[in-house]
Amino acid sequence: MMRHLRHIFSVLWLLCMSSGYAGCLDAPQLRGVNLSGAEFNSKNLPGLRHKNYTYPSRNDLAYFKAAGMNVIRLPFRWERVQRQTFAPLDPGELAQLRQLVGWATELDMCVILDLHNYGAYFGRPIGSAEVPAAAFADVWLRLHQAFGNPDTTAFGLMNEPSAITVPQWMTLAQHTVLALRRAGSKNLILVGSGRWSGAHEFAKPFDGVTATEAFRSFIDPGHNFAIELHQYTDPNYAGTGSQCISAERLEAIMTGVSAWAKQEKKRLFLGEFGVGRSGECLAALQVLLASMQVQDIWLGWTYWSAGPWWGNYPLSIQPNHGIDAPQMEVLRRYLE
């Protein structure tokens, strides 16, 4: 009897949580969190699952769904999902990814598959003799074969491609997007700007070009891509400290990129941003979230970060024994 009642309660809970589907294509705006763990220990590759790296649990997804979030950005390493270039995807890692996408689908959440590799593979830059550019398109075509449902998954091409120059990255990203569309992909594709994808340097020239210039000529035949930016609030914009720059300075950064996107008719996505727990930092978080309310410019955002292995990381919003992190109070205001 008790088992039967629990089953009924679970079904009713899922129906309540699913009122108003919030998949990758249908949500007015994607609002969520990075669930870290699968990208951990980059110096131990591929490493051992549950020892060197881990995947989030269904309870992790359910907590953030209950908070009002509709998207999970899942960072993972290329070296783990594909142990050799041009080889089939690793069955064990593929099973982990499929399980997580399945949980998210049950909860009506979108999953952004984020190849968290900084423009390299086993430490070698993409485009080098050891890692030809075609290898990058190959892994994404294989991921597309496994996760081609555009309602449930989006593709985050490359996290912070700092190992290669901005022109190299933009050429690589363009070729990969075209290859995915030729293969029939209808998934949302997030294309990071070069280097560390910082919104604060979006208009700054590197390697002879600015990201603003490079994206003016970027083409997506599927008309379903957004420019992924990151913006941390500590003084060096690294996401490692608990101090924050002024809210006014952040507001100017976000106003600048929003104005460019409106002028160029581009969509933006803030894939990483995070703050410490001080009053100053929570004010900075408020400014960042308020600046992304214009939905025809901002496709959405994923806070950095949560996940079971963060420990005392000051930016983490992983609940601690059922207690919300202070940042969640601010985030919840923008999840209603």
Side-chain angles (χ1 to χ4, degrees):
M1 181 66 177
M2 288 300 296
R3 181 181 298 177
H4 181 64
L5 289 173
R6 282 197 298 268
H7 175 72
I8 292 174
F9 176 79
S10 297
V11 171
L12 289 173
W13 182 84
L14 281 172
L15 287 172
C16 291
M17 297 301 290
S18 302
S19 58
Y21 183 70
C24 298
L25 297 181
D26 297 328
Q29 192 176 52
L30 296 173
R31 301 170 184 171
V33 65
N34 287 264
L35 278 181
S36 290
E39 84 282 20
F40 278 16
N41 281 309
S42 59
K43 293 183 179 180
N44 195 332
L45 295 170
L48 297 175
R49 195 184 314 131
H50 307 310
K51 179 181 179 181
N52 304 118
Y53 64 101
T54 191
Y55 283 86
S57 70
R58 192 185 191 283
N59 286 341
D60 292 323
L61 275 71
Y63 168 81
F64 291 106
K65 172 65 179 181
M69 294 183 179
N70 59 14
V71 62
I72 296 298
R73 183 176 183 254
L74 182 72
F76 64 98
R77 292 291 304 204
W78 181 0
E79 298 89 346
R80 289 172 178 148
V81 76
Q82 188 182 43
R83 304 300 172 97
Q84 295 180 351
T85 55
F86 301 105
L89 300 182
D90 180 81
E93 298 304 302
L94 195 56
Q96 292 290 314
L97 293 174
R98 281 180 168 147
Q99 182 180 61
L100 188 135
V101 170
W103 290 336
T105 302
E106 292 171 3
L107 295 168
D108 290 341
M109 301 181 83
C110 172
V111 175
I112 299 169
L113 298 175
D114 164 48
L115 204 63
H116 211 81
N117 270 75
Y118 305 95
Y121 178 80
F122 280 111
R124 299 178 179 89
I126 304 171
S128 62
E130 298 87 352
V131 189
F136 183 64
D138 175 79
V139 69
W140 271 114
L141 290 171
R142 293 177 189 274
L143 286 166
H144 163 62
Q145 290 174 356
F147 302 102
N149 186 345
D151 288 321
T152 60
T153 51
F155 298 157
L157 284 190
M158 176 59 64
N159 180 71
E160 300 179 354
S162 55
I164 56 181
T165 68
V166 173
Q168 286 173 326
W169 164 243
M170 294 306 304
T171 299
L172 181 66
Q174 180 66 89
H175 288 170
T176 305
V177 167
L178 293 176
L180 283 167
R181 298 308 188 206
R182 284 195 299 269
S185 173
K186 299 184 184 302
N187 303 69
L188 166 67
I189 300 176
L190 301 179
V191 182
S193 63
R195 287 171 45 87
W196 307 102
S197 300
H200 61 280
E201 61 179 32
F202 190 54
K204 187 175 180 180
F206 294 99
D207 311 307
V209 67
T210 67
T212 54
E213 294 165 344
F215 275 110
R216 283 195 179 103
S217 58
F218 195 88
I219 298 170
D220 173 18
H223 306 289
N224 191 24
F225 95 100
I227 300 166
E228 181 182 325
L229 298 174
H230 297 174
Q231 188 57 53
Y232 288 102
T233 60
D234 46 341
N236 61 355
Y237 304 116
T240 56
S242 55
Q243 293 183 327
C244 290
I245 62 174
S246 70
E248 292 78 12
R249 189 169 162 189
L250 280 171
E251 186 174 20
I253 291 169
M254 298 299 285
T255 298
V257 296
S258 296
W260 177 87
K262 181 176 181 179
Q263 177 181 322
E264 298 294 329
K265 295 181 172 57
K266 303 291 187 185
R267 292 192 301 174
L268 305 176
F269 185 86
L270 199 63
E272 293 184 16
F273 64 105
V275 304
R277 301 184 172 196
S278 69
E280 181 184 36
C281 287
L282 295 179
L285 178 58
Q286 168 79 23
V287 165
L288 285 172
L289 292 165
S291 70
M292 293 184 285
Q293 289 295 95
V294 183
Q295 295 181 7
D296 61 341
I297 295 174
W298 288 98
L299 178 66
W301 47 264
T302 44
Y303 180 92
W304 183 274
S305 180
W309 282 12
W310 271 122
N312 295 323
Y313 179 51
L315 277 58
S316 173
I317 56 171
Q318 184 75 8
N320 184 9
H321 301 291
I323 300 173
D324 284 354
Q327 296 94 325
M328 282 299 296
E329 181 180 350
V330 180
L331 287 165
R332 286 180 189 275
R333 299 173 198 161
Y334 293 86
L335 296 172
E336 298 174 353

